[in-house]
């Protein structure tokens, strides 16, 4: 099976991709994983270190062909404040909980989480339920292309919603992909995913 051994950021390539993989947030932080593109191209992601992939990145195959990474839509909560200062205060509280957070226009986006949503509503925020790709900010200690997907830094730690004892909503994978051998936790949609963060 042909391998993908490099990642190019979305500003570093312009040629037409050979195929596309559609991945949710959890499946975009990988080092080694067998994948199948939406057009049927099978390949092995085989990176030296785990990389947090972003929508628009390209995986570079050994023969030079590119596979475009598309961020899959997921159930999200968009948080709106009354003014910029109010939103900064809310962002501080999210960062203090090491919660992956995306800055989007005039709001903040997180994965659906009724505990956190109740907290920000208590701070006076408005919460809007949406479905959109989730592309959180890199942490303060992120370096290179290995984005730490959290507000507040401390890269190398998994601060997903699972750590708070609850589950994110079901999501569909738009492309068929296979996971590596380390399947260590269960998702609501029935797949056991490995999050190889070596």
């Amino acid at each position: 099976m042909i391998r993908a051994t490099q990642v190019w950021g979305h500003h570093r390539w312009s040629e037409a991709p050979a195929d596309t993989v559609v991945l949710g947030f959890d499946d975009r932080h990988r080092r080694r994983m067998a994948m199948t593109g939406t057009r049927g191209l099978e390949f092995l992601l085989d990176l030296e270190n785990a990389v947090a992939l972003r929508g628009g990145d390209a995986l570079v195959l050994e023969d030079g062909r590119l596979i475009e990474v598309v961020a899959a839509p997921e159930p999200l909560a968009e948080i709106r404040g009354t003014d910029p200062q109010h939103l900064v205060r809310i962002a501080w509280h999210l960062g203090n909980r090491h919660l992956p957070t995306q800055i989007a226009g005039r709001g903040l986006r997180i994965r659906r989480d009724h505990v956190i949503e109740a907290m920000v509503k208590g701070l006076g925020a408005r919460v809007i339920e949406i479905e959109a790709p989730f592309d959180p900010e890199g942490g303060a200690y992120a370096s290179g292309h290995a984005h730490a997907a959290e507000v507040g830094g401390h890269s190398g730690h998994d601060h997903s919603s699972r750590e708070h004892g609850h589950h994110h909503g079901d999501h569909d994978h738009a492309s068929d992909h296979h996971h590596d051998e380390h399947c260590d936790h269960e998702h609501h949609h029935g797949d056991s995913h490995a999050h190889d963060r070596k």
Side-chain angles (χ1 to χ4, degrees):
M1 182 181 290
I2 193 167
R3 298 183 305 152
T5 57
Q6 298 179 63
V7 178
W8 287 355
H10 65 282
H11 294 301
R12 293 184 53 198
W13 63 282
S14 58
E15 55 264 48
D19 210 332
T20 298
V21 287
V22 183
L23 304 172
F25 173 66
D26 284 333
D27 287 328
R28 293 203 311 274
H29 195 170
R30 295 289 184 170
R31 187 190 70 82
R32 193 169 192 272
M33 175 180 174
M35 296 183 177
T36 301
T38 58
R39 302 175 202 167
L41 196 157
E42 297 181 354
F43 64 97
L44 177 67
L45 179 68
D46 192 10
L47 305 175
E48 184 175 345
N49 298 298
V51 169
L53 303 171
R54 291 186 180 276
D57 288 353
L59 307 177
V60 186
L61 300 178
E62 293 171 299
D63 62 5
R65 289 180 295 168
L66 302 181
I67 308 295
E68 182 180 8
V69 175
V70 173
E74 303 184 41
L76 303 179
E78 183 161 298
I79 301 166
R80 300 284 183 87
T82 55
D83 55 44
Q85 184 176 358
H86 184 213
L87 200 62
V88 168
R89 179 169 172 250
I90 293 166
W92 183 90
H93 282 279
L94 298 177
N96 194 45
R97 287 158 178 77
H98 307 295
L99 195 72
T101 303
Q102 178 179 354
I103 299 172
R106 298 181 180 179
L108 304 170
R109 291 180 181 177
I110 61 171
R111 290 195 291 183
R112 292 301 314 278
D113 181 325
H114 68 276
V115 173
I116 300 299
E117 290 171 38
M119 178 197 76
V120 298
K121 286 178 181 177
L123 295 170
R126 179 183 173 205
V127 176
I128 305 167
E129 297 180 14
I130 63 170
E131 284 230 355
F134 186 48
D135 199 11
E137 292 298 304
Y141 300 98
S143 60
H145 196 72
H147 309 289
E150 57 185 283
V151 170
H154 307 301
S155 62
H157 292 68
D158 180 7
H159 296 298
S160 70
S161 62
R162 293 183 305 277
E163 184 173 288
H164 300 282
H166 48 270
H167 300 276
H168 59 78
D170 294 347
H171 60 276
D172 295 326
H173 296 282
S175 63
D176 179 25
H177 58 277
H178 306 284
H179 300 280
D180 54 19
E181 64 275 18
H182 305 292
C183 295
D184 55 6
H185 69 273
E186 184 175 333
H187 286 246
H188 280 205
H189 50 70
D191 296 333
S192 292
H193 292 337
H195 298 295
D196 184 355
R197 301 177 185 276
K198 298 176 184 176

